Amino acid sequence: MKRNYDLLMEEQMKNVKKGERLLLHSCCAPCSSACLERLKEVFQVTVLYYNPNIDEREEYEKRKSEQIRFLKETGWAEILDCDHDAEAFANIAKGKENEPERGARCYACYALRLEKTAQVAKEKGFAWFGTTLTLSPHKNADWLNEIGEKLGGRYELNYLYTDFKKKGGYYRSIELSKVYGLYRQDFCGCKYSKREKE
């Protein structure tokens, strides 16, 4: 039976003491917007900007600066920045260059970004970790939550189940992007998604 990850998140959040620390991996400002709007009243959120999949340095910096600007303007979360670790993505993509979008390469990319989030959460003493990636209709929420659940066990952390596209989350992110004038990209960031778009 398919799990309702949005409902699971709601159940988890009922038991969270206000102010517990959550490290939330964010792919970009637009996706983080609707996610943070839902989480900010329950968690003390820090956004981890770790996106080695973004191919071009200019695109990476543009998305990162938008994330920083959005958080400064709203005050909804702190930010923890990572270097542009393009080599890490290149390594996990080896041998998967011809995989279709939403296939094995994307699964490996999800795992790469979520594992980094879990590692940093453990190192910095966060009780919880999660990701904004489930907001996108193009991302596989089942895979993301399965990976997160496993990593939560491995790192002895609480993984926050999510399916942020539920309850109109994706459409809310579009509204918030307009309100804050956020740059919305039309591909995930890797050269393979860009190739498919073109």
mmCIF file of all heavy atoms in Angstrom, residues 8-25:
data_model
loop_
_atom_site.group_PDB
_atom_site.id
_atom_site.type_symbol
_atom_site.label_atom_id
_atom_site.label_comp_id
_atom_site.label_asym_id
_atom_site.label_seq_id
_atom_site.Cartn_x
_atom_site.Cartn_y
_atom_site.Cartn_z
ATOM 1 N N LEU A 8 2.156 11.380 7.271
ATOM 2 C CA LEU A 8 3.212 10.967 8.209
ATOM 3 C C LEU A 8 3.932 12.185 8.787
ATOM 4 O O LEU A 8 4.239 12.231 9.982
ATOM 5 C CB LEU A 8 4.216 10.043 7.513
ATOM 6 C CG LEU A 8 3.781 8.595 7.303
ATOM 7 C CD1 LEU A 8 4.776 7.872 6.396
ATOM 8 C CD2 LEU A 8 3.656 7.857 8.629
ATOM 9 N N MET A 9 4.205 13.185 7.941
ATOM 10 C CA MET A 9 4.858 14.402 8.414
ATOM 11 C C MET A 9 3.980 15.123 9.438
ATOM 12 O O MET A 9 4.468 15.568 10.480
ATOM 13 C CB MET A 9 5.162 15.348 7.248
ATOM 14 C CG MET A 9 5.835 16.642 7.685
ATOM 15 S SD MET A 9 6.118 17.829 6.341
ATOM 16 C CE MET A 9 4.498 18.583 6.239
ATOM 17 N N GLU A 10 2.687 15.227 9.141
ATOM 18 C CA GLU A 10 1.771 15.884 10.072
ATOM 19 C C GLU A 10 1.788 15.181 11.432
ATOM 20 O O GLU A 10 1.781 15.831 12.478
ATOM 21 C CB GLU A 10 0.342 15.895 9.499
ATOM 22 C CG GLU A 10 0.176 16.736 8.248
ATOM 23 C CD GLU A 10 0.248 18.230 8.510
ATOM 24 O OE1 GLU A 10 0.169 18.651 9.677
ATOM 25 O OE2 GLU A 10 0.399 18.987 7.532
ATOM 26 N N GLU A 11 1.804 13.847 11.406
ATOM 27 C CA GLU A 11 1.852 13.076 12.655
ATOM 28 C C GLU A 11 3.158 13.339 13.404
ATOM 29 O O GLU A 11 3.164 13.509 14.625
ATOM 30 C CB GLU A 11 1.688 11.577 12.374
ATOM 31 C CG GLU A 11 0.291 11.165 11.932
ATOM 32 C CD GLU A 11 -0.786 11.483 12.980
ATOM 33 O OE1 GLU A 11 -0.562 11.206 14.175
ATOM 34 O OE2 GLU A 11 -1.840 12.029 12.600
ATOM 35 N N GLN A 12 4.276 13.349 12.667
ATOM 36 C CA GLN A 12 5.568 13.627 13.299
ATOM 37 C C GLN A 12 5.577 15.011 13.950
ATOM 38 O O GLN A 12 6.059 15.178 15.063
ATOM 39 C CB GLN A 12 6.696 13.561 12.259
ATOM 40 C CG GLN A 12 7.070 12.167 11.807
ATOM 41 C CD GLN A 12 8.160 12.223 10.750
ATOM 42 O OE1 GLN A 12 7.995 12.832 9.691
ATOM 43 N NE2 GLN A 12 9.289 11.589 11.034
ATOM 44 N N MET A 13 5.027 15.987 13.235
ATOM 45 C CA MET A 13 5.092 17.366 13.710
ATOM 46 C C MET A 13 4.234 17.604 14.957
ATOM 47 O O MET A 13 4.513 18.511 15.733
ATOM 48 C CB MET A 13 4.720 18.333 12.580
ATOM 49 C CG MET A 13 5.851 18.471 11.568
ATOM 50 S SD MET A 13 5.438 19.349 10.043
ATOM 51 C CE MET A 13 4.910 20.931 10.618
ATOM 52 N N LYS A 14 3.230 16.763 15.166
ATOM 53 C CA LYS A 14 2.409 16.874 16.386
ATOM 54 C C LYS A 14 3.250 16.589 17.638
ATOM 55 O O LYS A 14 2.918 17.055 18.719
ATOM 56 C CB LYS A 14 1.245 15.885 16.333
ATOM 57 C CG LYS A 14 0.104 16.313 15.445
ATOM 58 C CD LYS A 14 -0.969 15.230 15.437
ATOM 59 C CE LYS A 14 -1.998 15.495 14.348
ATOM 60 N NZ LYS A 14 -2.896 14.352 14.153
ATOM 61 N N ASN A 15 4.294 15.793 17.472
ATOM 62 C CA ASN A 15 5.113 15.378 18.616
ATOM 63 C C ASN A 15 6.424 16.141 18.749
ATOM 64 O O ASN A 15 7.252 15.810 19.589
ATOM 65 C CB ASN A 15 5.405 13.866 18.522
ATOM 66 C CG ASN A 15 4.129 13.043 18.543
ATOM 67 O OD1 ASN A 15 3.276 13.261 19.391
ATOM 68 N ND2 ASN A 15 3.985 12.140 17.594
ATOM 69 N N VAL A 16 6.607 17.142 17.903
ATOM 70 C CA VAL A 16 7.844 17.932 17.950
ATOM 71 C C VAL A 16 7.699 19.032 18.989
ATOM 72 O O VAL A 16 6.692 19.730 19.026
ATOM 73 C CB VAL A 16 8.147 18.551 16.563
ATOM 74 C CG1 VAL A 16 9.285 19.562 16.642
ATOM 75 C CG2 VAL A 16 8.481 17.464 15.556
ATOM 76 N N LYS A 17 8.713 19.151 19.838
ATOM 77 C CA LYS A 17 8.723 20.277 20.779
ATOM 78 C C LYS A 17 9.106 21.517 19.994
ATOM 79 O O LYS A 17 10.078 21.494 19.243
ATOM 80 C CB LYS A 17 9.748 20.023 21.887
ATOM 81 C CG LYS A 17 9.369 18.894 22.818
ATOM 82 C CD LYS A 17 10.442 18.680 23.867
ATOM 83 C CE LYS A 17 10.130 17.410 24.630
ATOM 84 N NZ LYS A 17 11.314 16.653 24.982
ATOM 85 N N LYS A 18 8.351 22.598 20.179
ATOM 86 C CA LYS A 18 8.605 23.830 19.421
ATOM 87 C C LYS A 18 10.061 24.241 19.561
ATOM 88 O O LYS A 18 10.604 24.268 20.659
ATOM 89 C CB LYS A 18 7.695 24.955 19.917
ATOM 90 C CG LYS A 18 7.736 26.185 19.034
ATOM 91 C CD LYS A 18 6.627 27.141 19.386
ATOM 92 C CE LYS A 18 6.763 28.471 18.673
ATOM 93 N NZ LYS A 18 6.731 28.420 17.250
ATOM 94 N N GLY A 19 10.684 24.527 18.414
ATOM 95 C CA GLY A 19 12.075 24.959 18.436
ATOM 96 C C GLY A 19 13.098 23.860 18.232
ATOM 97 O O GLY A 19 14.299 24.132 18.194
ATOM 98 N N GLU A 20 12.639 22.594 18.072
ATOM 99 C CA GLU A 20 13.606 21.538 17.754
ATOM 100 C C GLU A 20 14.259 21.871 16.418
ATOM 101 O O GLU A 20 13.627 22.410 15.514
ATOM 102 C CB GLU A 20 12.928 20.160 17.682
ATOM 103 C CG GLU A 20 12.658 19.567 19.048
ATOM 104 C CD GLU A 20 12.195 18.126 18.976
ATOM 105 O OE1 GLU A 20 12.788 17.325 18.225
ATOM 106 O OE2 GLU A 20 11.226 17.795 19.680
ATOM 107 N N ARG A 21 15.533 21.520 16.294
ATOM 108 C CA ARG A 21 16.316 21.941 15.130
ATOM 109 C C ARG A 21 16.210 20.945 13.979
ATOM 110 O O ARG A 21 16.430 19.750 14.157
ATOM 111 C CB ARG A 21 17.781 22.135 15.532
ATOM 112 C CG ARG A 21 17.968 23.290 16.516
ATOM 113 C CD ARG A 21 19.381 23.313 17.071
ATOM 114 N NE ARG A 21 20.328 23.678 16.043
ATOM 115 C CZ ARG A 21 21.512 23.072 15.879
ATOM 116 N NH1 ARG A 21 21.886 22.093 16.648
ATOM 117 N NH2 ARG A 21 22.314 23.478 14.920
ATOM 118 N N LEU A 22 15.891 21.494 12.810
ATOM 119 C CA LEU A 22 15.764 20.716 11.574
ATOM 120 C C LEU A 22 16.762 21.238 10.554
ATOM 121 O O LEU A 22 16.795 22.440 10.278
ATOM 122 C CB LEU A 22 14.338 20.860 11.022
ATOM 123 C CG LEU A 22 14.102 20.423 9.558
ATOM 124 C CD1 LEU A 22 14.194 18.907 9.422
ATOM 125 C CD2 LEU A 22 12.740 20.919 9.067
ATOM 126 N N LEU A 23 17.559 20.340 9.987
ATOM 127 C CA LEU A 23 18.427 20.696 8.863
ATOM 128 C C LEU A 23 17.698 20.275 7.598
ATOM 129 O O LEU A 23 17.459 19.083 7.371
ATOM 130 C CB LEU A 23 19.784 19.997 8.960
ATOM 131 C CG LEU A 23 20.793 20.433 7.887
ATOM 132 C CD1 LEU A 23 21.169 21.906 8.032
ATOM 133 C CD2 LEU A 23 22.050 19.567 7.933
ATOM 134 N N LEU A 24 17.311 21.262 6.802
ATOM 135 C CA LEU A 24 16.502 21.019 5.614
ATOM 136 C C LEU A 24 17.334 21.242 4.364
ATOM 137 O O LEU A 24 17.718 22.373 4.058
ATOM 138 C CB LEU A 24 15.295 21.967 5.615
ATOM 139 C CG LEU A 24 14.291 21.798 4.478
ATOM 140 C CD1 LEU A 24 13.512 20.483 4.609
ATOM 141 C CD2 LEU A 24 13.336 22.980 4.429
ATOM 142 N N HIS A 25 17.598 20.161 3.635
ATOM 143 C CA HIS A 25 18.278 20.313 2.347
ATOM 144 C C HIS A 25 17.350 21.080 1.412
ATOM 145 O O HIS A 25 16.158 20.783 1.314
ATOM 146 C CB HIS A 25 18.594 18.948 1.723
ATOM 147 C CG HIS A 25 18.939 19.073 0.277
ATOM 148 N ND1 HIS A 25 18.002 18.856 -0.716
ATOM 149 C CD2 HIS A 25 20.076 19.468 -0.343
ATOM 150 C CE1 HIS A 25 18.575 19.088 -1.887
ATOM 151 N NE2 HIS A 25 19.823 19.467 -1.689
#
